[in-house]
Amino acid sequence: MLIFSQNKRQIMDCQTLSVTKNYGGKKEEKFVITGSAGVTTELNGNGILASFPDEKTALDALEKVFTAFENGAKSYRF
């Protein structure tokens, strides 16, 4: 699924998305959704796609991405 990042600087064809604690992040960036393009030789094969102030908000956003995918969407914009 093509994912357009929250900061509008990256479009990634993701195979895997995950919610991760962002150690050292600002108050509003304590949890992030990261994406992985799977097996790749590129240096930017992984990346932060969106940032959130708490884990619940990040998990809710991940659920929205899954719902879009489940409904047949080929892309998603944070």
Side-chain angles (χ1 to χ4, degrees):
M1 175 180 243
L2 288 175
I3 306 287
F4 193 40
S5 67
Q6 189 178 46
N7 67 6
K8 312 266 190 275
R9 293 184 180 165
Q10 182 176 2
I11 296 173
M12 180 181 270
D13 190 3
C14 295
Q15 288 185 345
T16 305
L17 296 174
S18 60
V19 172
T20 307
K21 185 159 178 75
N22 186 19
Y23 293 99
K26 298 176 185 174
K27 183 178 178 182
E28 62 278 357
E29 299 174 345
K30 289 297 180 184
F31 285 86
V32 294
I33 292 181
T34 59
S36 172
V39 178
T40 182
T41 57
E42 296 180 31
L43 293 175
N44 63 350
N46 298 309
I48 293 175
L49 297 169
S51 304
F52 304 93
D54 56 66
E55 188 174 27
K56 182 185 180 334
T57 306
L59 291 171
D60 289 346
L62 186 62
E63 181 77 29
K64 288 178 183 178
V65 174
F66 181 76
T67 299
F69 175 76
E70 196 172 40
N71 290 327
K74 302 279 188 223
S75 62
Y76 188 85
R77 180 187 307 245
F78 278 105

